[in-house]
Amino acid sequence: MPGQDALALEFVQFAVDCGVLRFGEFKTKAGRLSPYFFNAGLFDDGAKLGRLAQFYAQRLLASGLEFDMIFGPAYKGIPLGAALTVELARLGRNVPFCYNRKEAKDHGEGGTLVGAPLQGRVLIVDDVMSAGTAVRESIALIQAAGAQPHAVVIALDRQEKATENGLDVNHSAVQYVQQQLGLQVCAIARLEDLLRYLAQHAVPGLVDAHQRVQAYRERYGVSGVFT
């Protein structure tokens, strides 16, 4: 839909302006040399985090995705989930929020979960999905609490092949989560949107970036079908 594309392109511009989305040569967890890098940790002040939450909320509300509460996996998912919960409440959609600790607390209330009790259909919030590890860990926590892992919302879908045992496979982490784990995935923007943004901004520096990102997409990109 044109409106969704406009939101995605606006988000890419925002990420570039904040220095969150950078171009150059970056090594990924899979050992690939990527021509771009998305570091959500650089949404590092109140204004940026607030605007980011607006993008998440706009995408979620436009998607029609149903959920009963929000879960932010440690660590990056915690501020993202908290900011999104605040923004949704501002827009009239007040939902509970929960997050986990990496290490269990042995005093006070104890345990690894903080916030509202996990129940109902749970929406997991994260920045990107590289291997789906954080999602699988979140699913285990949510199911152990008797709730339903229902969907995931991320900032950027890299739309590239995942790796298993050090080898490329023909599906992305997002496709795996959708098809094998049965969760819906909602993304503010995708690699396709990044390429569209670069094609529309033919300025010094970005022309070369467009060519390199396109080549990376051709080498490591996934089709729209899970195989």
Side-chain angles (χ1 to χ4, degrees):
M1 295 177 61
Q4 290 180 323
D5 287 344
L7 181 67
L9 292 176
E10 186 180 354
F11 175 71
V12 172
Q13 181 67 70
F14 171 63
V16 170
D17 291 343
C18 292
V20 168
L21 183 56
R22 299 181 179 182
F23 303 100
E25 187 173 89
F26 309 91
K27 192 170 184 177
T28 69
K29 289 182 180 179
R32 299 168 185 159
L33 290 179
S34 172
Y36 73 98
F37 182 59
F38 183 87
N39 181 6
L42 294 177
F43 290 120
D44 55 7
D45 63 31
K48 293 173 188 173
L49 195 57
R51 185 70 184 100
L52 174 62
Q54 290 175 353
F55 279 110
Y56 272 107
Q58 283 180 264
R59 180 59 86 214
L60 276 173
L61 294 176
S63 74
L65 187 66
E66 296 291 337
F67 57 93
D68 299 311
M69 69 175 298
I70 289 172
F71 178 76
Y75 288 104
K76 284 185 180 178
I78 297 174
L80 297 177
L84 172 58
T85 306
V86 170
E87 177 61 18
L88 286 173
R90 189 186 70 82
L91 296 173
R93 178 83 163 85
N94 189 32
V95 294
F97 170 59
C98 177
Y99 64 91
N100 69 300
R101 299 185 180 95
K102 286 286 189 180
E103 300 82 21
K105 187 177 180 182
D106 59 4
H107 61 281
E109 76 278 12
T112 60
L113 297 175
V114 183
L118 282 169
Q119 56 189 6
R121 298 165 298 180
V122 181
L123 173 69
I124 301 166
V125 183
D126 217 336
D127 54 352
V128 295
M129 199 183 298
S130 300
T133 304
V135 171
R136 285 193 289 268
E137 292 174 350
S138 297
I139 287 173
L141 286 168
I142 293 165
Q143 289 177 332
Q148 177 192 351
H150 183 63
V152 184
V153 62
I154 56 176
L156 179 68
D157 179 358
R158 290 181 61 100
Q159 294 184 291
E160 68 179 75
K161 295 176 181 178
T163 58
E164 295 179 4
N165 300 316
L167 300 175
D168 292 348
V169 292
N170 291 325
H171 58 263
S172 69
V174 166
Q175 290 173 328
Y176 178 84
V177 168
Q178 291 172 318
Q179 303 297 324
Q180 297 298 303
L181 302 184
L183 274 65
Q184 299 180 65
V185 179
C186 182
I188 302 173
R190 302 170 299 166
L191 179 57
E192 291 175 0
D193 300 307
L194 171 55
L195 282 167
R196 190 176 299 113
Y197 168 84
L198 291 171
Q200 293 176 5
H201 293 75
V203 297
L206 291 188
V207 173
D208 182 55
H210 181 227
Q211 295 171 344
R212 289 185 290 111
V213 173
Q214 181 62 49
Y216 187 82
R217 170 77 164 137
E218 291 170 1
R219 180 172 181 181
Y220 296 114
V222 292
S223 66
V225 180
F226 181 91
T227 58

